[in-house]
Amino acid sequence: MSDTPIRIGNVSGFYGDRFSAVREMLEGGELDVIVGDYLAELTMLILGRDRLKNPDLGYAKTFLRQMEQNLGLIAEKDVKVVVNAGGLNPHGLAVALRAAIEKVGVDRSVAFVNGDDIVGRAAELGLGTPIAANAYLGGFGIKSALDAGADIVVTGRVTDASLVVGTAASRFGWGYDDLDQLAGAVVAGHVIECSAQATGGNYSFFTEIEDMARPGFPIAEVAADGSSVITKHDGTGGAVLVGTVTAQLLYEVGGPRYYNPDATARLDTVELTQEGVDRVRISGVKGEAPPKNLKVSLNHLGGIRNEFEVVLTGLDIEAKAELFQKQFEAALPERPAELTWELARLDRADADTEEQASAMLRCVARDTDPKKAGRQFTGTAVELALASYPGFTLTAPPGNGSPYGVFEPGYVDAALVPHRVNQPTGVTESIDPSPLRTDPIVDESVPSSTSTTDWGETVDVPLGTLAGARSGDKGGSANIGLWVRSDAEYAWLDETMSVDKLKELLPEVADLTVHRYPLPNMRAVNFVVEEVLGRGVAENVRFDPQAKGLGEWLRSRVVAVPASLIQKGN
């Protein structure tokens, strides 16, 4: 046990992130631990299909290849590895890792954490009959494995922040009652979990960062009191700024309380300070007891999804779209259960190029019957090629469609979910849930400020002239976090950006339920839009199925901004 801050570097934010990140982080400077997040809703479906084909799979194969190439360097530098790459089969990944370690000939021990996979008990637990059901475990299984001397710990579905929570808890000997420290680690884990998003990736003000060619991956220096400094290796691209950290803190969150299995972090207590070049301190985080229930990722097989897209060029775009839609629906042998149309008006008048003169009409079908959403669906479009609007063309040949999954969250008492650690010695240890668990406090949506400041003269400019944004999916819902960089700007943002104003600026969400949560410490306002993504990313109901661009659309909308704020350097 030590009071020296632990340097935790992230090497993955999703299954498919930069493959070379492990070597870059190991060679770039000193680290105590590397962590990596490989799982997401869609990833669990991908791993589920892998496991159906081969019961020995179901884990992130990319991670195994990264380890095969870097085990020698990991052993040489004596760096620990903690990742959730075990997916649906952490035991299988542990077996494969041990074989790789033996082949390379290094001295590294492997532990794995499981128990999250409760699909076999889903019906008994009132969760229906999904094809996959994985509870989000906390970090104390990881802590136990590291305490027992494991060098590499692979897990199934733990919360993204748990990788850092468990690692820091092991270093500093935290227990369940160290709520402020645990909450601080939750916040640090949330900041670095999405890799380069903390160092300039997906950052609204990216043009202000000098080198974005290849952003470095983030490092959290977590201290014994739970505070941390977010940084990156010297000489790497991107930047670590209060802004980049704020943006990531707003990613995929709801109200001020950020629930995790080991502690609830109060995001409204977070204090951010630019401590130096590429160094942002996170302090002041307060923790509360964790919720009684664990969140469960439930994936169901939704059916078959298929789509086609036709190009409409030149004049009479809407009339052409109407003609084709009418002809197509009349010609369909069997109508799919769901049939949606989307006309994207990308065209412009008197265009200099044919592409700029063209719009796109997309049709999407979903059905549990493969025939209705299969080749006969796209084939019907092809049959109209010589009988429809002038200039008819398809962007791709007809296809058979593909299975899609439907995600929904579930909740189950943590006491009913086994949390097991399989130590390097072969001993299996059970981890009890936090004894402090309680019914969660639901944060209430807050209307805009009641202040009516006289801001004086205004100028119509895009909202993004002042505000940054970060948006993302939360199951079928999405969040949009808006933040600004001065107290005066925040006073204006809090007064201006009401739920009604959001709906006015984003007409596509006008009929949906929207919650609003101000976060003054971060000069931010977070919105959660319910059901904007249907039944989750795998259903792919929107042009932007993970809501990644929703915040940037909002920033592009024109609003009346006080001229005084624009004149202060924006």
Side-chain angles (χ1 to χ4, degrees):
M1 199 176 301
S2 169
D3 288 335
T4 304
I6 182 170
R7 280 174 60 88
I8 306 169
N10 175 282
V11 297
S12 177
F14 69 102
Y15 191 15
D17 211 339
R18 189 192 306 168
F19 185 84
S20 61
V22 173
R23 180 164 293 274
E24 291 172 21
M25 290 294 275
L26 290 168
E27 293 179 340
E30 293 301 313
L31 289 176
D32 297 305
V33 184
I34 59 176
V35 298
D37 175 20
Y38 291 78
L39 302 183
E41 296 165 13
L42 193 58
T43 309
M44 301 301 279
L45 284 169
I46 294 169
L47 297 180
R49 288 200 293 267
D50 284 351
R51 189 171 63 171
L52 286 173
K53 296 175 184 175
N54 182 346
D56 293 333
L57 296 179
Y59 54 80
K61 294 174 287 187
T62 299
F63 169 75
L64 179 60
R65 296 201 305 274
Q66 288 173 313
M67 290 298 98
E68 289 169 343
Q69 294 183 14
N70 293 287
L71 279 168
L73 191 56
I74 288 168
E76 176 187 329
K77 290 180 171 285
D78 194 26
V79 172
K80 303 282 188 181
V81 179
V82 180
V83 297
N84 61 11
L88 298 175
N89 189 7
H91 175 250
L93 178 55
V95 170
L97 278 171
R98 288 167 182 153
I101 288 167
E102 184 176 354
K103 182 177 179 180
V104 175
V106 295
D107 182 18
R108 293 284 95 178
S109 61
V110 179
F112 65 94
V113 176
N114 64 3
D116 60 291
D117 189 346
I118 55 174
V119 68
R121 299 168 54 217
E124 164 198 338
L125 296 171
L127 300 173
T129 56
I131 59 172
N134 296 83
Y136 289 76
L137 301 178
F140 275 76
I142 294 168
K143 176 184 184 297
S144 173
L146 293 171
D147 288 350
D151 299 304
I152 301 175
V153 184
V154 295
T155 77
R157 181 73 274 186
V158 297
T159 71
D160 301 340
S162 290
L163 303 173
V164 170
V165 171
T167 300
S170 176
R171 166 62 72 95
F172 302 119
W174 295 338
Y176 284 122
D177 56 345
D178 293 310
L179 291 175
D180 289 347
Q181 292 93 325
L182 292 170
V186 166
V187 170
H190 179 52
V191 171
I192 71 170
E193 72 187 41
C194 289
S195 64
Q197 281 195 172
T199 60
N202 287 336
Y203 182 53
S204 292
F205 301 113
F206 68 96
T207 58
E208 298 177 7
I209 298 177
E210 184 176 347
D211 178 13
M212 278 295 294
R214 194 175 178 84
F217 277 42
I219 298 166
E221 299 175 350
V222 182
D225 64 357
S227 66
S228 62
V229 172
I230 307 301
T231 185
K232 64 184 183 69
H233 284 321
D234 291 342
T236 57
V240 180
L241 309 168
V242 167
T244 64
V245 173
T246 298
Q248 176 56 28
L249 280 171
L250 294 172
Y251 184 59
E252 296 182 346
V253 298
R257 288 177 169 85
Y258 188 58
Y259 300 109
N260 261 253
D262 303 316
T264 297
R266 291 292 299 265
L267 297 181
D268 53 354
T269 64
V270 172
E271 297 176 12
L272 303 178
T273 308
Q274 192 77 44
E275 193 173 75
V277 176
D278 294 324
R279 293 183 65 81
V280 172
R281 175 168 294 280
I282 302 175
S283 59
V285 182
K286 296 298 182 184
E288 295 176 345
K292 179 176 67 176
N293 293 337
L294 296 179
K295 183 179 178 180
V296 183
S297 171
L298 301 172
N299 288 286
H300 303 267
L301 185 61
I304 301 296
R305 181 187 183 279
N306 206 349
E307 71 172 74
F308 65 83
E309 198 169 50
V310 296
V311 182
L312 312 168
T313 304
L315 303 176
D316 305 319
I317 294 295
E318 293 188 5
K320 288 172 179 174
E322 182 181 358
L323 170 62
F324 180 77
Q325 180 176 343
K326 182 178 180 179
Q327 289 178 315
F328 178 82
E329 293 190 10
L332 265 177
E334 297 175 281
R335 186 181 179 91
E338 296 181 48
L339 192 66
T340 59
W341 295 87
E342 182 179 350
L343 176 60
R345 293 299 303 267
L346 307 175
D347 56 302
R348 65 183 67 173
D350 194 23
D352 292 332
T353 67
E354 182 177 347
E355 186 173 11
Q356 291 176 343
S358 299
M360 312 298 288
L361 179 64
R362 180 183 299 111
C363 184
V364 179
R366 296 180 185 84
D367 204 296
T368 54
D369 183 344
K371 181 181 177 184
K372 291 181 181 179
R375 181 62 68 98
Q376 77 171 17
F377 165 74
T378 48
T380 299
V382 175
E383 291 173 359
L384 291 170
L386 304 181
S388 192
Y389 64 87
F392 176 97
T393 185
L394 281 160
T395 59
N400 294 321
S402 58
Y404 73 92
V406 173
F407 166 85
E408 65 176 346
Y411 296 89
V412 64
D413 191 322
L416 301 177
V417 178
H419 186 170
R420 296 187 294 264
V421 184
N422 299 268
Q423 304 287 14
T425 59
V427 172
T428 298
E429 178 184 351
S430 293
I431 303 298
D432 293 329
S434 170
L436 305 178
R437 294 175 300 123
T438 185
D439 290 327
I441 300 172
V442 179
D443 293 316
E444 294 186 4
S445 182
V446 179
S448 59
S449 169
T450 56
S451 299
T452 55
T453 305
D454 180 4
W455 293 100
E457 180 185 355
T458 63
V459 57
D460 290 342
V461 295
L463 176 60
T465 306
L466 289 187
R470 176 62 59 78
S471 59
D473 57 313
K474 292 175 63 63
S477 300
N479 91 295
I480 309 170
L482 285 174
W483 55 274
V484 289
R485 297 185 278 191
S486 75
D487 291 340
E489 290 172 354
Y490 179 69
W492 171 81
L493 183 75
D494 190 35
E495 285 186 25
T496 303
M497 284 306 302
S498 64
V499 169
D500 287 342
K501 187 64 174 179
L502 181 81
K503 291 184 174 185
E504 173 192 327
L505 296 174
L506 303 184
E508 290 182 9
V509 310
D511 296 328
L512 302 176
T513 299
V514 177
H515 305 279
R516 180 185 183 276
Y517 305 104
L519 295 165
N521 271 24
M522 289 190 275
R523 302 190 184 101
V525 177
N526 188 46
F527 295 93
V528 176
V529 185
E530 292 188 7
E531 299 180 352
V532 66
L533 302 177
R535 293 175 290 176
V537 56
E539 193 181 21
N540 199 16
V541 300
R542 281 180 56 84
F543 164 73
D544 176 18
Q546 292 181 284
K548 302 298 187 185
L550 202 56
E552 287 302 300
W553 176 30
L554 179 58
R555 291 183 69 239
S556 74
R557 299 291 281 162
V558 173
V559 295
V561 174
S564 60
L565 298 181
I566 300 295
Q567 292 164 2
K568 289 181 179 177
N570 293 287

